[in-house]
């Protein structure tokens, strides 16, 4: 075997150290032309020049000390970074994250198909899958009755307004029949039986009660209480019928005044019984002090919807629901009570005007005077009807919101629970 290298191959050349003798028999490496300086054209006729197809690239500021991005117009070596004085790679490098498009469009700098960049944003805005954080799975943020968690008082107001817009044609006659008529009758009874004789001061400075004062006082309050007891089932029928209308309309089901009243009659006695218990507790609290009575009224405010939808333990459930989310329930109930207080103030103003115009005892005066006083009293009861609508819708929406705090629920499920 020969020690000579094969034909056509070139052995590796080891650079000579400084001062070492040069072997004349050692083969010389091929001559390499120096790389052109950046910014200068290459003469294709010069011996040892590079490929004549290399473009003439103008000098860029700082181009001598930074690598050019692949595919950019100032890149003198497309396909990768080339060190000064070395030839370009002539193709894409394995570390290039975005290979060049054959059509000439640089890759990696366009938005994905179907997405548009947000104004002023660095990345396209994709919607996050699923409901916002903190919502129970299965809750619909667009449900017409159930206010989802974290929607705030604005969401509750929106549901109340939507219920009024959908059902005022059915709710208004129901409230007029079951709430306004009893209120008007009680107003007329109060106008006829209210004691007009007031205590006077005697000669010794002590108050002196007129004859028959306590008899008139007990007769007045007894008549009002009896009327409230008689009209209690009718009022409960109205609350149940209105709740049925609100829930079914939110679920997209057909409703009618007659069907609503028939449902209300089935639930009237049970709701009236629980109303008596809550009224008794509130009265006891008011007798102890005003604040305990107000606290009891707020704590038991949701007993009606709880009984109609769940039909079990309305007082205990209302108490726990109120204290579990104290701020939310108190805020909703306080807004409803503000409407009722405004209606009561309006009724008081009408009563004062009635006394100033027709006197303290209009029923004992001329028939025209008595008729005018009765008409004004009935008008005051009619003007309180919007407050009844607000009370109904506000409490039902507040109850639906608390159910959403406990788990997934929607209007269709609530309508089905009414039976």
């Amino acid at each position: 075997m020969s020690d000579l290298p094969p034909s056509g191959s070139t052995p590796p050349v080891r650079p000579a150290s400084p001062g070492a003798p040069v072997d004349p028999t050692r083969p010389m490496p091929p001559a390499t032309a120096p790389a052109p300086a950046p910014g200068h054209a290459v003469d294709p006729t010069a011996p040892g020049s590079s490929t004549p197809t290399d473009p003439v690239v103008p000098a860029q500021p700082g181009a001598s000390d930074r690598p050019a991005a692949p595919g950019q117009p100032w890149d003198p070596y497309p396909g990768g970074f080339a060190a000064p004085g070395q030839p370009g790679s002539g193709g894409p490098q394995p570390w290039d994250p975005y290979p060049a498009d054959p059509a000439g469009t640089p890759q990696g700098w366009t938005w994905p198909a179907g997405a548009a960049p947000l104004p002023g944003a660095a990345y396209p805005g994709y919607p996050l899958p699923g409901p916002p954080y903190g919502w129970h799975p299965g809750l619909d943020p667009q449900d017409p009755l159930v206010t989802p968690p974290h929607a705030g008082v604005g969401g509750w107001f929106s549901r109340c307004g939507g219920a009024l817009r959908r059902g005022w044609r059915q709710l208004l006659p129901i409230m007029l029949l079951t709430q306004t008529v009893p209120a008007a009758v009680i107003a007329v009874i109060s106008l006829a039986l209210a004691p007009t004789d007031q205590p006077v001061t005697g000669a010794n400075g002590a108050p002196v009660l007129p004859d028959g004062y306590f008899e008139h006082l007990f007769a007045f309050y007894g008549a009002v209480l009896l009327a409230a007891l008689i009209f209690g089932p009718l009022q409960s029928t109205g609350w149940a019928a209105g709740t049925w209308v609100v829930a079914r309309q939110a679920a997209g089901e057909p409703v009618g005044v007659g069907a609503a009243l028939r449902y209300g009659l089935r639930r009237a006695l049970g709701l009236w019984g629980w109303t008596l218990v809550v009224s008794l507790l509130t009265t006891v609290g008011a007798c102890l002090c005003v604040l305990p009575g107000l606290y009891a009224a707020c704590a038991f405010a949701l007993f009606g919807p709880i009984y109609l939808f769940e039909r079990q333990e309305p007082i205990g459930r209302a108490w726990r629901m109120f204290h579990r989310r104290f701020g939310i329930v108190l805020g909703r109930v306080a807004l409803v009570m503000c409407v009722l207080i405004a209606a009561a103030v309006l009724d008081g103003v009408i009563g004062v005007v009635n006394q100033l115009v027709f006197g303290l005892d209009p029923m004992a005066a001329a028939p025209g005077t008595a008729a005018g006083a009765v008409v004004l009293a009935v008008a005051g009861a009619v003007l309180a009807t919007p407050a009844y609508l607000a009370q109904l819708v506000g409490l039902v929406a507040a109850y639906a919101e608390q159910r959403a705090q406990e788990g997934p629920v929607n209007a269709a499920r609530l309508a089905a629970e009414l039976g």
Side-chain angles (χ1 to χ4, degrees), residues 203-231:
N204 57 356
V208 178
L209 298 177
D211 295 337
Y213 178 80
F214 285 106
E215 290 80 356
H216 292 165
L217 187 65
F218 287 136
F220 166 69
Y221 283 109
V224 171
L225 180 60
L226 179 61
L229 292 176
I230 293 175
F231 287 117

Side-chain angles (χ1 to χ4, degrees), residues 28-34 47-49:
M28 298 297 294
T32 302
S49 63

Side-chain angles (χ1 to χ4, degrees), residues 105-223:
T105 304
Q107 300 296 319
W109 301 97
T110 58
W111 298 109
L118 295 176
Y123 301 99
Y126 289 99
L128 295 177
Y133 175 77
W135 289 14
H136 292 284
L139 284 177
D140 182 10
Q142 304 300 326
D143 191 276
L145 180 60
V146 180
T147 306
H150 312 298
V153 69
W156 177 76
F157 268 120
S158 176
R159 269 69 181 182
C160 294
L164 288 175
R165 287 191 300 270
R166 289 188 302 269
W168 70 269
R169 293 177 180 84
Q170 293 80 23
L171 294 176
L172 184 59
I174 291 175
M175 292 295 105
L176 286 173
L177 177 62
T178 61
Q179 310 300 323
T180 306
V181 169
V185 172
I186 292 176
V188 174
I189 293 175
S190 301
L191 190 65
L193 299 180
T196 57
D197 297 333
Q198 300 298 326
V200 295
T201 303
N204 57 356
V208 178
L209 298 177
D211 295 337
Y213 178 80
F214 285 106
E215 290 80 356
H216 292 165
L217 187 65
F218 287 136
F220 166 69
Y221 283 109

Side-chain angles (χ1 to χ4, degrees), residues 70-71 79 91-93 95-102 105-108:
Q93 300 298 326
W95 56 81
D96 288 342
Y98 304 106
D101 189 357
T105 304
Q107 300 296 319

Side-chain angles (χ1 to χ4, degrees), residues 13-417:
V13 180
R14 181 178 181 181
S17 59
V22 178
D23 187 3
T25 62
R26 178 177 299 175
M28 298 297 294
T32 302
H40 294 276
V42 180
D43 187 4
T45 60
S49 63
S50 61
T51 306
T53 60
D54 292 342
V56 178
V57 181
Q60 300 291 334
S64 59
D65 55 356
R66 70 177 183 183
Q72 299 300 324
W74 59 81
D75 185 12
Y77 304 103
F81 167 73
Q86 298 295 331
S89 61
Q93 300 298 326
W95 56 81
D96 288 342
Y98 304 106
D101 189 357
T105 304
Q107 300 296 319
W109 301 97
T110 58
W111 298 109
L118 295 176
Y123 301 99
Y126 289 99
L128 295 177
Y133 175 77
W135 289 14
H136 292 284
L139 284 177
D140 182 10
Q142 304 300 326
D143 191 276
L145 180 60
V146 180
T147 306
H150 312 298
V153 69
W156 177 76
F157 268 120
S158 176
R159 269 69 181 182
C160 294
L164 288 175
R165 287 191 300 270
R166 289 188 302 269
W168 70 269
R169 293 177 180 84
Q170 293 80 23
L171 294 176
L172 184 59
I174 291 175
M175 292 295 105
L176 286 173
L177 177 62
T178 61
Q179 310 300 323
T180 306
V181 169
V185 172
I186 292 176
V188 174
I189 293 175
S190 301
L191 190 65
L193 299 180
T196 57
D197 297 333
Q198 300 298 326
V200 295
T201 303
N204 57 356
V208 178
L209 298 177
D211 295 337
Y213 178 80
F214 285 106
E215 290 80 356
H216 292 165
L217 187 65
F218 287 136
F220 166 69
Y221 283 109
V224 171
L225 180 60
L226 179 61
L229 292 176
I230 293 175
F231 287 117
L234 178 61
Q235 292 176 317
S236 299
T237 300
W239 295 126
T243 304
W244 186 82
V245 169
V246 171
R248 285 182 64 90
Q249 282 189 333
E253 300 177 7
V255 297
V257 176
L261 291 176
R262 287 191 295 270
Y263 170 82
L265 287 174
R266 295 198 306 269
R267 299 283 184 254
L269 291 180
L271 183 59
W272 179 53
W274 287 111
T275 303
L276 292 178
V277 176
V278 172
S279 300
L280 180 61
L281 293 175
T282 305
T283 303
V284 171
C287 292
L288 296 176
C289 188
V290 177
L291 289 181
L294 291 176
Y295 188 86
C298 294
F300 301 131
L302 298 181
F303 83 95
I306 291 175
Y307 169 76
L308 293 174
F309 287 101
E310 303 178 20
R311 289 189 292 279
Q312 59 180 354
E313 199 187 357
I315 293 181
R317 181 95 163 89
W319 180 270
R320 292 191 299 271
M321 188 176 288
F322 177 75
H323 291 89
R324 188 176 296 119
R325 281 168 289 275
F326 180 81
I328 297 177
V329 180
L330 179 61
R332 309 297 186 262
V333 173
L335 291 174
V336 172
M337 293 183 66
C338 287
V339 177
L340 296 177
I341 291 173
V345 170
L346 178 61
D347 184 69
V349 171
I350 293 177
V352 172
V353 173
N354 200 338
Q355 291 181 0
L356 293 177
V357 175
F358 301 106
L360 294 178
D361 192 8
M363 307 304 291
T369 302
V374 169
V375 169
L376 195 58
V378 172
V382 173
L383 291 178
T385 305
Y388 304 140
L389 289 172
Q391 180 182 5
L392 169 69
V393 173
L395 293 181
V396 173
Y399 168 76
E401 182 181 17
Q402 297 312 305
R403 286 287 300 273
Q405 297 280 350
E406 298 174 351
V409 70
N410 55 20
R413 177 176 175 180
L414 292 177
E417 290 179 357

